[in-house]
Amino acid sequence: MTELLTNIRTTGGVPLKKAGEPTDARAAATKPAPPAPRANRRRLGPGRAVPFGRLIGPALVIALWWFASAVGYLDPRILSGPGTVLSTASDLVADGRLQDNVLISLQRAGLGLFFGVTAGVLLAVAAGLSRTGEYLLDGPLQIKRAIPSLAMLPLLILWLGIGEQMKVTVIALGVAVNMYINTYASLTGIDSRYVELAEGLDLSRAQFIRKVVVPGSLPGFFVGLRLGVTASWLGLIVVEQINATSGIGYMMFQAQQYAQSDVIIVGLVAYGIFGFASDAAVRAVERKVLSWRRTLAG
């Protein structure tokens, strides 16, 4: 110990090497080399995204459907083939029936989605940012979640009749519950440390909502929006078959009376295309708005 202290004093803080002790070069030469990085590192993520990769699944379904129809596995009286469906869709477009019914269906779904999203977000904000709002609103809305909107059809028909108001209300109820549940969960899941930081910075209520609440609730909002878009199409399918005189569902119901499976499939394909396209649009907006996140979705 004394010898070590003496060496440090005489060398300005750098200990002297003992006789026979290897130099830095020799020490570096005898030091084991670090392990080389593995050439093939195991990838645990889903891999790189492929442009328009989500179309592969639907394309395979259509290919199998076409093949089964071509080889005679499908009875055309029960399930028409893709060629027949395309021909029927062309005829419906030529006489204007398909466009008219599609526009009416889009109007109903759009109005229900707008009112449902607006109501769901406002209720989630009121319940998520206030204990009074939570105590007054969350219980009834959780009860409503357990009651399907379609189960309320008899009561809504009694109250509102069978017109457009009832149809839009049914769609809006289904959308609002999905929006509320997901947005409320995202709001209440914001880390309390961010709230304490906002209080420490003496942010106003408006600044707190803009800088903390909105960014923290956006992921849940977009999940609710995607579910809400799906709920709007599900509700539309049902309400358009209840004493309706227009819309895709009405066209399908009329085709059922005459066993026109090709017209029914045209309607189903239209619902599927609009559902897939609307979900893809929400995904695109979500990626744009939440571009600061790094997730497995890419």
Side-chain angles (χ1 to χ4, degrees), residues 51-283:
F52 306 104
R54 296 183 185 277
L55 296 175
I56 296 176
L60 287 176
V61 172
I62 294 174
L64 290 174
W65 176 26
W66 209 303
F67 173 77
S69 176
V71 299
Y73 286 159
L74 297 179
D75 186 348
R77 296 171 298 179
I78 299 176
L79 182 61
S80 301
T84 305
V85 172
L86 287 175
S87 176
T88 301
S90 177
D91 294 340
L92 291 173
V93 169
D95 62 19
R97 287 176 56 196
L98 186 59
Q99 302 95 300
D100 294 341
N101 288 313
V102 163
L103 288 176
I104 293 172
S105 294
L106 289 176
Q107 181 181 2
R108 289 169 180 159
L111 287 173
L113 184 65
F114 172 76
F115 291 122
V117 169
T118 303
V121 171
L122 292 177
L123 291 170
V125 171
L129 300 182
S130 168
R131 290 297 180 190
T132 302
E134 179 184 10
Y135 297 152
L136 293 177
L137 298 174
D138 189 59
L141 286 166
Q142 295 295 341
I143 294 173
K144 169 60 189 72
R145 181 175 67 155
I147 302 174
S149 299
L150 302 182
M152 300 181 64
L153 270 175
L155 191 60
L156 291 174
I157 292 175
L158 182 63
W159 288 348
L160 304 174
I162 58 174
E164 294 299 310
Q165 189 176 4
M166 181 273 296
K167 296 177 176 61
V168 173
T169 301
V170 171
I171 297 170
L173 284 174
V175 173
V177 171
N178 284 290
M179 290 302 307
Y180 170 81
I181 295 299
N182 290 277
T183 307
Y184 173 77
S186 188
L187 274 172
T188 55
I190 295 176
D191 196 326
S192 60
R193 289 176 295 181
Y194 295 128
V195 181
E196 295 171 1
L197 179 61
E199 293 171 348
L201 295 174
D202 198 22
L203 296 183
S204 65
R205 190 71 171 178
Q207 290 175 323
F208 170 68
I209 292 176
R210 186 175 70 253
K211 296 183 178 180
V212 178
V213 172
V214 172
S217 61
L218 278 177
F221 167 82
F222 278 109
V223 173
L225 184 58
R226 289 181 60 195
L227 294 174
V229 168
T230 302
S232 69
W233 292 111
L234 292 176
L236 180 69
I237 294 172
V238 175
V239 298
E240 286 191 335
Q241 298 185 32
I242 300 176
N243 292 323
T245 58
S246 59
I248 300 175
Y250 167 75
M251 182 181 70
M252 295 168 61
F253 182 75
Q254 291 295 105
Q256 177 196 351
Q257 308 300 318
Y258 300 99
Q260 296 174 319
S261 65
D262 51 348
V263 178
I264 296 175
I265 296 173
V266 169
L268 292 176
V269 170
Y271 280 132
I273 290 174
F274 290 131
F276 185 87
S278 56
D279 183 75
V282 174
R283 283 176 179 269

